[in-house]
Amino acid sequence: MLEGLEVINWHALEHAYGMADDVPDLLRSLASADAPFRQDALSKLYSNIYHQGTVFEATVYAIPFLIELIQTEAVQDRDKILIYLAHLARGHSYLEEHQNLLFYSDELDNPEFQVQIQQETTWARHVNYAVCSGTNIYLSLLEHNNSKLRTAAPYILACCQQRASEIIPHFKRCLAQERSPQVKASLILSLGLLELPQLANIELFIQFLSSEESDLVRLSAAMTLVRLAKDKTPPEAIAIPIEIIENPISVRESYARLAWANSDVISDVCACLCYLGGAGNVVIPALINALNTVDGYSALSIVRTLLYLAFNGHKLADTIEQKNADLQISVIEAIASYDNVWQFNSNMAHLLGSFGLPQERNQLQAFL
């Protein structure tokens, strides 16, 4: 296993911290029987060949060995390696993402700088291609007896858009026979990214809104429907995210174990509700009610969604529009009223400012 590591001149390759000499030993450590040793190696790989979402020249060369590791039954934590590979596939060029920062302003017209950007974007494309070359292997893991692998496999397969027509039937077949709520939730969320956003497809997800399903599966189906159907989302799908915001205990831990979880479940659900657009007015009263019960962190997420829906994603003009005045005023009143909303004052000030609103509580009250 991993015999080809020595063939590659890692010293000539670069990652976030310079020469990639450390990569071979880190890859070997992923196969260690010692759990802390494996975790330390993966943590370092998250920092060097995948650094804050960016990939590098050395990243491409590491991928075949990572794919080899997930095929080896003796290797532990293969689900974590699968998720790591998925993150690599979603990686991007550092300069392409940061070229508009002030300290690069003098470099933008520099031909050498542009060549470097092109080189980095080429690495990112090659990384994605290399990860997706393992599609058949990931598909085989959908029916593995290890539920952690079955949960992680859909997450990486959602990166392989070019083979969506082949992957989707596998997902649907697995959903029909899967019993683990964690795996079903991962399949549903992943399928939602591979399916075209056509209303003809929503019946597939509506069946998982049933009360016979676990709360995690119902929430995953509802979030997928909201993303796909947007302002045409069925009312029964809209009700479930609100239900979870009001009482997240039943899904908080299980949702956090999904690779799809970007943050706390309330934060992710709130972000999802923004897809409702103009139809989001129906959830505003429930979100306002929820403000009275959540902690300060969750309150930030709810306020962000309330402002987005009430002001249609735009900054406030000089005056409130008469058409939506009552709704918008009720949102601002709620924000000004609840103490927990102001637990993180600087975060709230920044959020309010982004919508053109007064940034201090007393100023907001005076504005009302």
Side-chain angles (χ1 to χ4, degrees), residues 306-314 316 320 328 331-332 355 357:
L306 280 169
L307 291 172
Y308 185 90
L309 295 175
F311 293 98
N312 198 26
H314 300 298
L316 177 69
I320 287 181
Q328 294 172 343
V331 167
I332 298 173
F355 282 90
L357 288 164

Side-chain angles (χ1 to χ4, degrees), residues 3-206:
E3 289 83 0
L5 279 172
E6 299 303 329
V7 176
I8 295 171
N9 183 6
W10 296 98
H11 188 76
L13 302 174
E14 292 190 355
H15 56 42
Y17 302 115
M19 294 177 294
D21 300 277
D22 56 338
V23 173
D25 284 341
L26 292 174
L27 292 172
R28 292 189 188 95
S29 297
L30 292 179
S32 170
D34 186 281
F37 207 50
R38 293 194 304 273
Q39 182 55 46
D40 180 67
L42 189 59
S43 177
K44 288 175 179 174
L45 287 169
Y46 263 113
S47 181
N48 56 14
I49 62 173
Y50 178 79
H51 185 78
Q52 298 178 356
T54 59
V55 293
F56 304 87
E57 182 183 21
T59 313
V60 183
Y61 291 85
I63 290 170
F65 302 104
L66 292 165
I67 293 177
E68 183 181 349
L69 286 168
I70 64 168
Q71 295 178 81
T72 307
E73 289 291 333
V75 173
Q76 301 179 58
D77 294 336
R78 287 188 290 159
D79 56 308
K80 295 179 181 178
I81 299 175
L82 276 172
I83 292 168
Y84 178 64
L85 279 165
H87 289 157
L88 296 185
R90 294 174 169 88
H92 48 72
S93 152
Y94 178 85
L95 289 180
E96 186 179 31
E97 292 293 316
H98 297 85
Q99 59 182 307
N100 293 323
L101 294 178
L102 185 61
F103 54 81
Y104 285 127
S105 58
D106 295 334
E107 299 286 339
L108 292 178
D109 296 327
N110 185 332
E112 293 182 1
F113 184 80
Q114 293 302 320
V115 168
Q116 181 63 28
I117 290 178
Q118 291 175 12
Q119 180 64 70
E120 289 187 7
T121 54
T122 299
W123 294 341
R125 286 197 301 272
H126 287 174
V127 166
N128 180 271
Y129 178 82
V131 172
C132 292
S133 70
T135 297
N136 289 339
I137 297 163
Y138 315 142
L139 285 171
S140 69
L141 295 175
L142 289 173
E143 300 184 55
H144 198 278
N145 58 12
N146 185 325
S147 63
K148 289 184 177 180
L149 288 174
R150 298 202 311 277
T151 302
Y155 183 68
I156 189 170
L157 285 164
C159 301
C160 308
Q161 294 280 343
Q162 64 270 38
R163 293 183 63 178
S165 60
E166 178 185 350
I167 296 168
I168 289 172
H170 282 270
F171 278 10
K172 291 179 178 178
R173 186 171 63 252
C174 290
L175 271 172
Q177 62 191 29
E178 183 60 59
R179 293 293 172 264
S180 163
Q182 206 78 21
V183 179
K184 289 175 77 170
S186 181
L187 283 163
I188 289 167
L189 291 167
S190 302
L191 183 58
L193 284 190
L194 293 174
E195 283 275 19
L196 294 174
Q198 297 171 342
L199 297 185
N201 299 325
I202 67 173
E203 291 298 328
L204 170 66
F205 302 103
I206 287 177

